[in-house]
mmCIF file of all heavy atoms in Angstrom:
data_model
loop_
_atom_site.group_PDB
_atom_site.id
_atom_site.type_symbol
_atom_site.label_atom_id
_atom_site.label_comp_id
_atom_site.label_asym_id
_atom_site.label_seq_id
_atom_site.Cartn_x
_atom_site.Cartn_y
_atom_site.Cartn_z
ATOM 1 N N GLY A 98 -80.257 173.363 24.910
ATOM 2 C CA GLY A 98 -79.296 172.272 25.062
ATOM 3 C C GLY A 98 -79.733 171.286 26.114
ATOM 4 O O GLY A 98 -78.930 170.479 26.590
ATOM 5 N N GLY A 99 -81.000 171.303 26.473
ATOM 6 C CA GLY A 99 -81.497 170.436 27.545
ATOM 7 C C GLY A 99 -81.963 171.297 28.724
ATOM 8 O O GLY A 99 -81.667 172.476 28.807
ATOM 9 N N ALA A 100 -82.719 170.676 29.618
ATOM 10 C CA ALA A 100 -83.222 171.391 30.791
ATOM 11 C C ALA A 100 -82.063 171.755 31.711
ATOM 12 O O ALA A 100 -81.183 170.934 31.966
ATOM 13 C CB ALA A 100 -84.249 170.551 31.531
ATOM 14 N N PRO A 101 -82.020 172.982 32.201
ATOM 15 C CA PRO A 101 -80.909 173.371 33.104
ATOM 16 C C PRO A 101 -80.950 172.595 34.407
ATOM 17 O O PRO A 101 -82.016 172.290 34.951
ATOM 18 C CB PRO A 101 -81.168 174.873 33.323
ATOM 19 C CG PRO A 101 -82.645 175.062 33.066
ATOM 20 C CD PRO A 101 -82.982 174.064 32.002
ATOM 21 N N ALA A 102 -79.783 172.269 34.922
ATOM 22 C CA ALA A 102 -79.685 171.508 36.148
ATOM 23 C C ALA A 102 -79.977 172.401 37.355
ATOM 24 O O ALA A 102 -79.784 173.604 37.307
ATOM 25 C CB ALA A 102 -78.297 170.883 36.287
ATOM 26 N N HIS A 103 -80.440 171.782 38.423
ATOM 27 C CA HIS A 103 -80.696 172.518 39.662
ATOM 28 C C HIS A 103 -80.548 171.536 40.833
ATOM 29 O O HIS A 103 -80.612 170.314 40.644
ATOM 30 C CB HIS A 103 -82.089 173.128 39.660
ATOM 31 C CG HIS A 103 -83.198 172.102 39.730
ATOM 32 N ND1 HIS A 103 -83.671 171.433 38.633
ATOM 33 C CD2 HIS A 103 -83.899 171.617 40.791
ATOM 34 C CE1 HIS A 103 -84.626 170.598 38.978
ATOM 35 N NE2 HIS A 103 -84.781 170.676 40.290
ATOM 36 N N GLU A 104 -80.377 172.067 41.991
ATOM 37 C CA GLU A 104 -80.273 171.242 43.187
ATOM 38 C C GLU A 104 -81.680 170.819 43.623
ATOM 39 O O GLU A 104 -82.567 171.632 43.743
ATOM 40 C CB GLU A 104 -79.584 172.018 44.310
ATOM 41 C CG GLU A 104 -79.308 171.187 45.555
ATOM 42 C CD GLU A 104 -78.557 171.987 46.603
ATOM 43 O OE1 GLU A 104 -78.118 173.107 46.290
ATOM 44 O OE2 GLU A 104 -78.418 171.475 47.738
ATOM 45 N N ARG A 105 -81.840 169.519 43.859
ATOM 46 C CA ARG A 105 -83.160 169.007 44.234
ATOM 47 C C ARG A 105 -83.611 169.581 45.573
ATOM 48 O O ARG A 105 -82.830 169.676 46.519
ATOM 49 C CB ARG A 105 -83.150 167.485 44.287
ATOM 50 C CG ARG A 105 -83.002 166.813 42.942
ATOM 51 C CD ARG A 105 -83.168 165.307 43.076
ATOM 52 N NE ARG A 105 -83.066 164.642 41.794
ATOM 53 C CZ ARG A 105 -84.073 164.443 40.969
ATOM 54 N NH1 ARG A 105 -85.296 164.868 41.313
ATOM 55 N NH2 ARG A 105 -83.922 163.819 39.835
ATOM 56 N N THR A 106 -84.904 169.926 45.613
ATOM 57 C CA THR A 106 -85.477 170.481 46.841
ATOM 58 C C THR A 106 -86.124 169.396 47.691
ATOM 59 O O THR A 106 -86.386 169.638 48.875
ATOM 60 C CB THR A 106 -86.527 171.543 46.498
ATOM 61 O OG1 THR A 106 -87.597 170.934 45.764
ATOM 62 C CG2 THR A 106 -85.906 172.651 45.662
ATOM 63 N N GLY A 107 -86.437 168.260 47.099
ATOM 64 C CA GLY A 107 -87.115 167.217 47.847
ATOM 65 C C GLY A 107 -88.581 167.481 48.062
ATOM 66 O O GLY A 107 -89.229 166.839 48.895
ATOM 67 N N VAL A 108 -89.151 168.423 47.307
ATOM 68 C CA VAL A 108 -90.561 168.811 47.438
ATOM 69 C C VAL A 108 -91.327 168.381 46.196
ATOM 70 O O VAL A 108 -90.856 168.614 45.070
ATOM 71 C CB VAL A 108 -90.705 170.338 47.656
ATOM 72 C CG1 VAL A 108 -92.164 170.713 47.774
ATOM 73 C CG2 VAL A 108 -89.922 170.756 48.896
ATOM 74 N N GLY A 109 -92.510 167.808 46.396
ATOM 75 C CA GLY A 109 -93.362 167.457 45.274
ATOM 76 C C GLY A 109 -92.675 166.523 44.280
ATOM 77 O O GLY A 109 -92.074 165.503 44.657
ATOM 78 N N PHE A 110 -92.746 166.895 42.985
ATOM 79 C CA PHE A 110 -92.128 166.081 41.957
ATOM 80 C C PHE A 110 -90.598 166.235 41.934
ATOM 81 O O PHE A 110 -89.927 165.483 41.248
ATOM 82 C CB PHE A 110 -92.699 166.443 40.572
ATOM 83 C CG PHE A 110 -94.111 166.002 40.384
ATOM 84 C CD1 PHE A 110 -95.153 166.916 40.468
ATOM 85 C CD2 PHE A 110 -94.408 164.685 40.117
ATOM 86 C CE1 PHE A 110 -96.471 166.513 40.294
ATOM 87 C CE2 PHE A 110 -95.711 164.275 39.920
ATOM 88 C CZ PHE A 110 -96.748 165.174 40.016
ATOM 89 N N ASP A 111 -90.099 167.221 42.634
ATOM 90 C CA ASP A 111 -88.658 167.471 42.612
ATOM 91 C C ASP A 111 -87.962 166.621 43.689
ATOM 92 O O ASP A 111 -87.259 167.124 44.565
ATOM 93 C CB ASP A 111 -88.398 168.967 42.841
ATOM 94 C CG ASP A 111 -86.949 169.332 42.540
ATOM 95 O OD1 ASP A 111 -86.394 168.788 41.585
ATOM 96 O OD2 ASP A 111 -86.401 170.182 43.280
ATOM 97 N N ARG A 112 -88.165 165.307 43.586
ATOM 98 C CA ARG A 112 -87.546 164.375 44.500
ATOM 99 C C ARG A 112 -86.878 163.254 43.743
ATOM 100 O O ARG A 112 -87.290 162.901 42.637
ATOM 101 C CB ARG A 112 -88.604 163.771 45.439
ATOM 102 C CG ARG A 112 -89.167 164.734 46.462
ATOM 103 C CD ARG A 112 -90.176 164.087 47.374
ATOM 104 N NE ARG A 112 -91.425 163.774 46.682
ATOM 105 C CZ ARG A 112 -92.502 163.289 47.281
ATOM 106 N NH1 ARG A 112 -92.462 163.026 48.563
ATOM 107 N NH2 ARG A 112 -93.607 163.074 46.607
ATOM 108 N N GLN A 113 -85.849 162.694 44.341
ATOM 109 C CA GLN A 113 -85.188 161.536 43.739
ATOM 110 C C GLN A 113 -86.043 160.304 44.058
ATOM 111 O O GLN A 113 -86.363 160.052 45.214
ATOM 112 C CB GLN A 113 -83.787 161.349 44.305
ATOM 113 C CG GLN A 113 -83.022 160.195 43.674
ATOM 114 C CD GLN A 113 -81.610 160.117 44.220
ATOM 115 O OE1 GLN A 113 -81.097 161.089 44.779
ATOM 116 N NE2 GLN A 113 -80.961 158.981 44.052
ATOM 117 N N THR A 114 -86.413 159.552 43.049
ATOM 118 C CA THR A 114 -87.291 158.427 43.245
ATOM 119 C C THR A 114 -86.665 157.128 42.699
ATOM 120 O O THR A 114 -85.826 157.178 41.780
ATOM 121 C CB THR A 114 -88.656 158.634 42.553
ATOM 122 O OG1 THR A 114 -88.451 158.862 41.158
ATOM 123 C CG2 THR A 114 -89.378 159.839 43.165
ATOM 124 N N GLU A 115 -87.073 156.029 43.256
ATOM 125 C CA GLU A 115 -86.675 154.700 42.803
ATOM 126 C C GLU A 115 -87.915 153.805 42.759
ATOM 127 O O GLU A 115 -89.008 154.221 43.210
ATOM 128 C CB GLU A 115 -85.627 154.071 43.733
ATOM 129 C CG GLU A 115 -84.362 154.906 43.933
ATOM 130 C CD GLU A 115 -83.501 154.939 42.706
ATOM 131 O OE1 GLU A 115 -83.759 154.180 41.743
ATOM 132 O OE2 GLU A 115 -82.535 155.736 42.679
ATOM 133 N N GLN A 116 -87.768 152.634 42.190
ATOM 134 C CA GLN A 116 -88.851 151.674 42.140
ATOM 135 C C GLN A 116 -88.752 150.720 43.333
ATOM 136 O O GLN A 116 -87.653 150.431 43.832
ATOM 137 C CB GLN A 116 -88.822 150.880 40.844
ATOM 138 C CG GLN A 116 -88.975 151.744 39.589
ATOM 139 C CD GLN A 116 -90.287 152.473 39.528
ATOM 140 O OE1 GLN A 116 -91.356 151.904 39.766
ATOM 141 N NE2 GLN A 116 -90.232 153.766 39.222
ATOM 142 N N GLY A 117 -89.891 150.232 43.767
ATOM 143 C CA GLY A 117 -89.928 149.277 44.873
ATOM 144 C C GLY A 117 -91.065 148.292 44.738
ATOM 145 O O GLY A 117 -91.888 148.377 43.829
ATOM 146 N N GLU A 118 -91.096 147.324 45.667
ATOM 147 C CA GLU A 118 -92.155 146.303 45.665
ATOM 148 C C GLU A 118 -92.531 145.985 47.105
ATOM 149 O O GLU A 118 -91.651 145.856 47.968
ATOM 150 C CB GLU A 118 -91.685 145.044 44.944
ATOM 151 C CG GLU A 118 -92.754 143.960 44.872
ATOM 152 C CD GLU A 118 -92.256 142.708 44.148
ATOM 153 O OE1 GLU A 118 -91.159 142.765 43.578
ATOM 154 O OE2 GLU A 118 -92.965 141.692 44.182
ATOM 155 N N VAL A 119 -93.827 145.840 47.342
ATOM 156 C CA VAL A 119 -94.327 145.487 48.668
ATOM 157 C C VAL A 119 -94.085 144.000 48.894
ATOM 158 O O VAL A 119 -94.681 143.151 48.206
ATOM 159 C CB VAL A 119 -95.815 145.840 48.820
ATOM 160 C CG1 VAL A 119 -96.308 145.454 50.215
ATOM 161 C CG2 VAL A 119 -96.065 147.304 48.563
ATOM 162 N N VAL A 120 -93.218 143.671 49.843
ATOM 163 C CA VAL A 120 -92.861 142.256 50.096
ATOM 164 C C VAL A 120 -93.898 141.582 50.967
ATOM 165 O O VAL A 120 -94.304 140.440 50.705
ATOM 166 C CB VAL A 120 -91.460 142.189 50.744
ATOM 167 C CG1 VAL A 120 -91.113 140.745 51.068
ATOM 168 C CG2 VAL A 120 -90.418 142.827 49.839
ATOM 169 N N SER A 121 -94.359 142.253 51.998
ATOM 170 C CA SER A 121 -95.333 141.660 52.913
ATOM 171 C C SER A 121 -96.181 142.743 53.563
ATOM 172 O O SER A 121 -95.752 143.912 53.653
ATOM 173 C CB SER A 121 -94.640 140.810 53.985
ATOM 174 O OG SER A 121 -93.819 141.629 54.791
ATOM 175 N N VAL A 122 -97.370 142.372 53.978
ATOM 176 C CA VAL A 122 -98.286 143.306 54.658
ATOM 177 C C VAL A 122 -98.898 142.568 55.852
ATOM 178 O O VAL A 122 -99.407 141.449 55.700
ATOM 179 C CB VAL A 122 -99.403 143.799 53.721
ATOM 180 C CG1 VAL A 122 -100.415 144.675 54.482
ATOM 181 C CG2 VAL A 122 -98.832 144.595 52.558
ATOM 182 N N GLU A 123 -98.849 143.193 57.001
ATOM 183 C CA GLU A 123 -99.508 142.629 58.186
ATOM 184 C C GLU A 123 -100.338 143.713 58.857
ATOM 185 O O GLU A 123 -100.029 144.899 58.785
ATOM 186 C CB GLU A 123 -98.475 142.056 59.164
ATOM 187 C CG GLU A 123 -97.489 143.087 59.708
ATOM 188 C CD GLU A 123 -96.567 142.467 60.747
ATOM 189 O OE1 GLU A 123 -97.068 141.771 61.640
ATOM 190 O OE2 GLU A 123 -95.353 142.730 60.653
ATOM 191 N N TYR A 124 -101.416 143.284 59.482
ATOM 192 C CA TYR A 124 -102.320 144.217 60.176
ATOM 193 C C TYR A 124 -101.894 144.348 61.637
ATOM 194 O O TYR A 124 -101.654 143.345 62.321
ATOM 195 C CB TYR A 124 -103.765 143.727 60.089
ATOM 196 C CG TYR A 124 -104.347 143.840 58.696
ATOM 197 C CD1 TYR A 124 -104.223 142.795 57.785
ATOM 198 C CD2 TYR A 124 -104.989 144.996 58.286
ATOM 199 C CE1 TYR A 124 -104.744 142.899 56.499
ATOM 200 C CE2 TYR A 124 -105.520 145.120 57.011
ATOM 201 C CZ TYR A 124 -105.390 144.051 56.126
ATOM 202 O OH TYR A 124 -105.907 144.159 54.859
ATOM 203 N N VAL A 125 -101.822 145.570 62.113
ATOM 204 C CA VAL A 125 -101.415 145.855 63.474
ATOM 205 C C VAL A 125 -102.368 146.848 64.094
ATOM 206 O O VAL A 125 -103.101 147.559 63.371
ATOM 207 C CB VAL A 125 -99.956 146.388 63.542
ATOM 208 C CG1 VAL A 125 -98.978 145.358 63.045
ATOM 209 C CG2 VAL A 125 -99.831 147.681 62.736
#
Side-chain angles (χ1 to χ4, degrees):
H103 68 277
E104 185 177 351
R105 291 187 178 273
T106 62
V108 179
F110 289 102
D111 192 37
R112 290 182 287 185
Q113 183 177 342
T114 59
E115 303 290 350
Q116 300 298 313
E118 182 180 350
V119 180
V120 178
S121 63
V122 175
E123 61 175 314
Y124 289 90
V125 297

